[in-house]
Each structure stands twice: as structure tokens, then as C-alpha cells.
Amino acid sequence: DTTYFYRVTGPGMPAGGFTASFHTRKQSDHFSFLVQGDEGFFPPVPNSNPARLADYEARIVHLMYNTENLSVPAAPALPRPDIALNTGDNVYTNGAEGSYRDYWMPVWNSDTDSNEMGAPFIRSIPFFIVVGNHDTGATGVNVNMLGGDNAGRFSGNTDGGDAMAYFNNYYYPLNGPVGVDQEFTWTGDSVADNGMFFSFAGKSYTSPAAIEAYRASTIVDSGGGAKLQIDHMSNYSFDYGNAHFTFIEANPHVFAGLLDGSPAYAKAPPAFSAYPSILREWLINDLDSSSQTWKVVVFHQPAFSSGNATVKNSQMRGVAKFLEDHGVNIVFNGHEHNYQRTLPLRAEAGVAAAPSPSGPAAVDIDTSFDGVTQTVPDGVLYIVEGSGGNREFDGDKNQPRGQGPGVDQDDSATGTFTLQNTSLTFVNGPAAWLDTHLTDNEMFPVLPGAGSGPKITTRFKSKVFSFGDVLVRGNQLTLYQVSEPLLPTSSATAANPAPFGTDVHGVPLNDPIPDTLVDPTNGDVVTPPAEGQSALLDKFTVTKPDLGENQDGNAQGGLEAHLSAPSRASAGSTIIYSIQVENDSGYALNGTQVVVNLAEGASFAGTTCDMVTVHGSQVVVTLGRLGVGSG
């Protein structure tokens, strides 16, 4: 909880370099953090002459850096953020060093603070990134360690041997498990050393020595002895304020290297490979070792998304039950280039199976939670924060803001959509969102009845870029979703009254400020400055209710725990404790756990497993869900 000031000077920098400050970790229960992702690319403007690139990333970074100066209708004055989280794909296309040079550093470390240039963000605000597929070789299946020979400026291609610059450009806690990085492909608990390959100019090579040399290049000593960053940095965790943050990799190499790109209407989504035990055990032990009020998990590919652009990349559904049982409150994802929020979800037995419109639901939802009047969720909230600045998966807008024809699922869409060159017609808007069987309307050609159940998504915003600002105040957490700057005018018509969607109150948004255009030959901005006011796209509050005692000493929430053991025990003997928990509160409790503190000199004589973990003198027993009136 201390501010430090520093100066950076060196070759290639202006005289005097730059000065900045940063603030070390707060431990109070009042703090704030930002969330965004999928931002590090300047898409080409179609048919532009001379050639131009569109930079949407800079305006988002500028807004995030100036959060405390923003005036957003329907939002209070927001504080300066303490930290920021990134949901992955922070550079494109191959995680190359050249992409950091072209797209990332000029925006996040800009000397100029503006909508067109970005801000000196990373000089002062700690920025934690989860590894996405484009951060390590594009697909997340494997990575070419040689790259290509066509890595011109702003191409997004590799210059050769730099496709995983993530592990050399950042410095994060090195507390993750070893052997689960991009070099290895996991199929359940079977592992193959085939994730790094060497191919150049049509020829393939084998070089274990080159792999080891790359790994050795990631060595650092951040105070706990020398470690290889690549060994630990795909998964890591840390505390801030009264929250515990866990970042885990969700790339396909962890799930048998499968990456099915076929559209949902052509082939039914498959069941997913099991999450490797080495990762499951690390994740569970990491969550159980924390007694923080809030537990927040970040990974790239969403487990639950109504965006439908990457529905067959939702392999992290297999982790949902672990997260729920071990106390996670909220999950942030990227990969889909939009903002989405689910209703509170509870995973059922078929959550990771092949989706089917028949049989039991794969997830249960809490439809009473609205984040305003009812703020205690019965389940885990899943948030897609992928609208940080790259183009969107939207079929109604041409590039650079859109990404070609496809099934449009924006919240403002109306009518129907006919897929080009086919006779298939799909509904748009909320009717097309994912249901509790994890099917949607686009799957009906291969899964009759798909998409007809209750919807799991409650808020979906695309067509505008945005970021999340989260305020933590003790046992309450509130998220404000803030849009890019908007003009005071709108291109709306009677036929399309909300071309860029609506705000938190359902009011149509104005058009975004003009695109920032960049000359790809020198990186210079060629468009005039533009300003605009942001809109509030979403707001919700989560409350963790107090189930303790009131001033009279009576049980306020009706949660009781009773511990019993033999009254006498001889030295060296085993004592069997019995614990009875009764939930007579008004809340269904997910992630219920019993924590037993062992006496000095005692040790745990039981068997550890996913539901029983030991951390020093503490034994954590996971009960999972306790409904109202159950025990």
C-alpha cells in the first residue's frame, strides 16, 4: 500500500526518458479493478486508398486510464483503478514480438494520452493478462517456433522465433503448475510433447535443443530464486484487497488439441475432453488455500457464450462445477469480441457433454437475480469481456468493425437472418441466445428443437467497444460496463432504431466517434482528434450476505455448524471429528466449505481429494451446494 516513483531512460528514448509512479497492493476491502480483452490489433480498412488501419484499442486504453475523470450518464463518479485484468488475445495474430512493437507498446505505453494515441497506462497501473490463443501462436493448439519470412510491419506475423513473447514481456506470479505450457498437448491425463514445432519455407525441422534454449530465455529471479516463466505463467494467482484472482489457461492444447471450426448449423457441437488432473488439482488447491471474501477466475475461451462465433471452443465447461463448489463468485472471459453476462449458473452432470435439446438441463439458472433489487446470486456469474478494441463477430457491419457475413446475435438485432448461399434462416437477438441445454437456434438443422429452452444470457452488447469497471466495497461488488466515446448524433432510422444497441436503460446509443485511422507505412495517426461521451451499457451488484449474528446474539441468517469429538483422547491417537452444518437461512449456498484449524502439533490423518484439501494447519472440506433448509 505504498506509492513508488521511478524514471526510465535509455537508447531510443526521448531525452530524460519518462517518469511515472505505481502503487503496491492494497489489503483493505475497498478497491477497484478494470477488465477488458481481445484488443491488440488494427484491422485494415476495406477499399481504402491509400491503405489505412483502424485503431479502436487506443480509445479504450485512454478511457481506462482516465476512469476517474469520466462522466458517464447513469453511473456515479468512478475511482482511479488499482489494477486491470486482461482476458487474453492482447496481441494478434501469432503472439509475436513485432505485434508488441506495432500494436501494443505504442498504445499502452503512449507518451500522449488521447483517444487516438492511447495512454501511459502500463507505467503506473498493474496489468494482469491471461494467456489467449493469439498470445501463443494463434490457434492455441501448437506453435511454430520459427515463424515466417513475411513479417512486415503491422502484419501480425512472426519475425521468427518470437511467437510466444508473452513469456518474456510480462512478469507475473510464478506459482502455477509445471508442464502445462504450449509445448505439451494434454488429452485427459495423457500428455504428448508435440506443441512446439519448427517449419520454415516449406521445410520442417526437429530441435529439442532449440526448445530448451527458448525455455531458458524465460528465466527470471523475482525474489524467490530463479524460475522459468514459461513453466509457471500460463496459470497463476494472487491476492488484491479482499479478493483472490486466479488466471488459468483454456487453450485447446489442454484439451487434446481439438479446434473444430465448423459452424453450429453444419455439425453438432461435441463433448469436450476432460480437464487434466494436474490442472484440476492445482486449481482446487489454489482456491481452497484462499480465505479472501471474493474469488475471481479469469480464462480466455468462454465456457458459456451466446455469441456463437466460437461455440465449439467452450471446453472450459468441464471446469464449471469445480469453480462453483470451491467458492468462485465471478468468471471473466474473452475470445468473443463483445460483452455478455449470464444469469447466475449452476452446473449439472451434463454440463461438458455434447449438447442436446432433450433430457435434463446442463445448467440451472437463477432468474430472480437482477443485480439491482435482488443482488445475491444463486450460482456463478460468467462475463465475456472481449470488446477491448479488435473487430467484432458481427454480420451486419463490414470490416473493420465487423467481420463478414454470419449469424448476427447482437441485442439490438430484429427480424430474421438468412445465411448467404443457403436456405437457412435464423432468428436474431435474444431468441437466438444459448439455453439451459446449451443449445441455440443456429443448431436446429443438426439438433431439432435446439434453442427452445430458457436462456442463460441476460445481457449482450456488441457493435460498440467497451470495458468493465468493478468496484469492491467489502461484501458488495458492482460492475459498470462503459462504452467507447459516442457522438451526440445517431444514424438510426425508423427501420433500424438502434444500430449500435442500447444503454443500460434500453435507450438507443448514438454512433461512436469517427474511426482512428493509421498509416501502415509509418504508424502515424492520419485522422483528426475526436471526443465523445461514453454510455453505460450494463450495471449490476453482487452481494455476499452476512449469515452471522445480530446485536442480540441471535442467528441472523440461520446458518449453524456443530463440531463434536470424543471427550478424551490419548497422546498420539487419532481423533475423529464430526461436523454438522444446517442451512436455515433464506439463501441457497453454493461453494459451502468447512475449514478446520488443527491444534498445534496435530496432523491430518484422512485422505485428501478434490473435496478435502490440506493447507498447513488448515483442512478444507468442500460440501458444495446447501439449499435452503438442507444440511
Side-chain angles (χ1 to χ4, degrees):
D1 201 7
T2 302
T3 299
Y4 290 86
F5 296 86
Y6 68 98
R7 176 187 295 168
V8 177
T9 60
M13 297 185 66
F18 68 80
T19 58
S21 65
F22 64 93
H23 196 88
T24 54
R25 183 176 72 181
K26 290 182 178 179
Q27 292 183 300
S28 73
D29 61 1
H30 282 52
F31 73 101
S32 67
F33 63 92
L34 306 176
V35 195
Q36 60 83 243
D38 296 85
E39 82 284 357
F41 190 65
F42 303 169
V45 177
N47 304 317
S48 59
N49 187 14
R52 292 290 182 257
L53 307 175
D55 175 11
Y56 302 107
E57 179 182 8
R59 62 186 61 179
I60 296 298
V61 176
H62 169 67
L63 290 178
M64 291 170 61
Y65 187 69
N66 290 278
T67 302
E68 71 271 30
N69 300 319
L70 298 180
S71 177
V72 183
L78 301 172
R80 182 167 177 79
D82 295 296
I83 61 174
L85 317 181
N86 179 278
T87 57
D89 282 4
N90 72 119
V91 294
Y92 294 78
T93 299
N94 299 303
E97 186 64 44
S99 293
Y100 287 93
R101 173 199 65 210
D102 296 339
Y103 307 120
W104 203 82
M105 283 292 180
V107 170
W108 289 96
N109 193 37
S110 172
D111 291 317
T112 303
D113 179 18
S114 70
N115 282 321
E116 292 70 41
M117 300 298 294
F121 190 97
I122 57 170
R123 297 180 187 180
S124 57
I125 301 174
F127 193 35
F128 297 91
I129 300 170
V130 76
V131 62
N133 53 292
H134 285 290
D135 295 307
T136 56
T139 66
V141 174
N142 48 37
V143 55
N144 184 3
M145 299 300 289
L146 287 179
D149 57 0
N150 57 343
R153 194 169 185 189
F154 296 106
S155 69
N157 296 329
T158 54
D159 294 313
D162 68 345
M164 292 195 293
Y166 171 88
F167 295 107
N168 272 312
N169 281 356
Y170 306 117
Y171 301 89
Y172 295 139
L174 302 181
N175 57 355
V178 179
V180 291
D181 59 79
Q182 191 72 51
E183 181 180 347
F184 305 101
T185 301
W186 287 84
T187 304
D189 289 337
S190 298
V191 60
D193 187 353
N194 63 359
M196 295 179 179
F197 68 96
F198 299 85
S199 179
F200 189 81
K203 295 183 179 180
S204 296
Y205 306 87
T206 301
S207 181
I211 292 177
E212 289 306 310
Y214 170 74
R215 301 186 74 90
S217 76
T218 71
I219 193 169
V220 296
D221 187 343
S222 54
K227 291 183 179 180
L228 302 182
Q229 295 207 116
I230 191 173
D231 277 352
H232 303 278
M233 225 168 70
S234 296
N235 304 270
Y236 64 92
S237 66
F238 60 93
D239 289 341
Y240 197 98
N242 65 340
H244 182 70
F245 295 91
T246 303
F247 285 56
I248 53 179
E249 188 180 10
N251 281 321
H253 78 91
V254 177
F255 297 92
L258 300 176
L259 187 61
D260 187 347
S262 60
Y265 59 80
K267 178 181 164 186
F272 296 110
S273 176
Y275 196 53
S277 295
I278 184 175
L279 286 172
R280 185 186 73 248
E281 292 170 4
W282 178 84
L283 174 60
I284 288 172
N285 276 279
D286 175 77
L287 295 172
D288 284 1
S289 67
S290 172
S291 59
Q292 297 285 76
T293 303
W294 298 97
K295 293 183 181 179
V296 178
V297 169
V298 183
F299 53 89
H300 182 59
Q301 289 87 347
F304 308 102
S305 166
S306 287
N308 216 25
T310 59
V311 70
K312 296 182 180 178
N313 209 184
S314 299
Q315 57 267 13
M316 291 297 280
R317 289 174 182 171
V319 183
K321 188 62 175 172
F322 306 142
L323 303 182
E324 177 186 324
D325 284 347
H326 293 268
V328 172
N329 307 109
I330 190 167
V331 174
F332 290 107
N333 305 128
H335 205 49
E336 294 275 354
H337 298 176
N338 46 54
Y339 169 78
Q340 297 178 55
R341 169 164 62 97
T342 68
L343 291 164
L345 298 183
R346 303 186 304 277
E348 292 295 342
V351 66
S356 171
S358 61
V363 295
D364 293 318
I365 54 176
D366 176 10
T367 57
S368 65
F369 176 86
D370 60 9
V372 180
T373 60
Q374 171 52 271
T375 63
V376 180
D378 186 5
V380 179
L381 291 167
Y382 287 82
I383 314 295
V384 174
E385 286 280 6
S387 52
N390 195 6
R391 59 191 171 200
E392 305 181 53
F393 295 114
D394 177 50
D396 277 352
K397 295 290 289 185
N398 292 324
Q399 290 189 25
R401 192 171 280 266
Q403 192 157 327
V407 180
D408 185 349
Q409 294 194 310
D410 180 68
D411 63 307
S412 64
T414 58
T416 59
F417 178 81
T418 300
L419 194 65
Q420 289 187 0
N421 303 318
T422 75
S423 60
L424 297 174
T425 299
F426 305 102
V427 296
N428 278 329
W433 295 350
L434 213 62
D435 67 9
T436 53
H437 286 85
L438 304 182
T439 64
D440 63 22
N441 173 257
E442 193 180 343
M443 300 177 190
F444 78 80
V446 289
L447 291 176
S452 58
K455 305 302 180 183
I456 70 171
T457 303
T458 187
R459 190 58 59 96
F460 192 129
K461 297 295 175 184
S462 67
K463 298 190 178 180
V464 291
F465 301 108
S466 61
F467 69 95
D469 188 0
V470 182
L471 273 59
V472 179
R473 297 293 180 265
N475 70 326
Q476 282 201 326
L477 178 154
T478 302
L479 183 145
Y480 300 89
Q481 191 68 22
V482 180
S483 81
E484 63 182 303
L486 306 177
L487 294 168
T489 58
S490 172
S491 60
T493 63
N496 189 10
F500 290 96
T502 57
D503 68 10
V504 68
H505 296 303
V507 177
L509 298 173
N510 287 337
D511 291 10
I513 62 173
D515 298 346
T516 297
L517 301 185
V518 174
D519 184 341
T521 63
N522 54 25
D524 291 344
V525 173
V526 295
T527 45
E531 296 288 340
Q533 186 177 58
S534 295
L536 189 63
L537 303 182
D538 193 16
K539 173 193 173 183
F540 66 88
T541 295
V542 179
T543 303
K544 299 195 74 172
D546 183 0
L547 302 181
E549 293 182 343
N550 59 23
Q551 292 180 347
D552 298 326
N554 298 317
Q556 183 181 28
L559 178 68
E560 298 183 3
H562 301 278
L563 175 70
S564 61
S567 58
R568 292 173 178 265
S570 59
S573 64
T574 298
I575 303 174
I576 298 177
Y577 289 92
S578 297
I579 303 169
Q580 180 67 31
V581 181
E582 298 288 344
N583 178 22
D584 294 322
S585 74
Y587 304 101
L589 303 177
N590 297 290
T592 312
Q593 295 180 308
V594 173
V595 181
V596 180
N597 291 289
L598 300 177
E600 184 178 354
S603 60
F604 180 61
T607 302
T608 59
C609 61
D610 288 353
M611 312 306 281
V612 180
T613 60
V614 179
H615 310 275
S617 62
Q618 285 192 334
V619 181
V620 180
V621 182
T622 296
L623 306 180
R625 180 175 174 79
L626 277 184
V628 176
S630 66

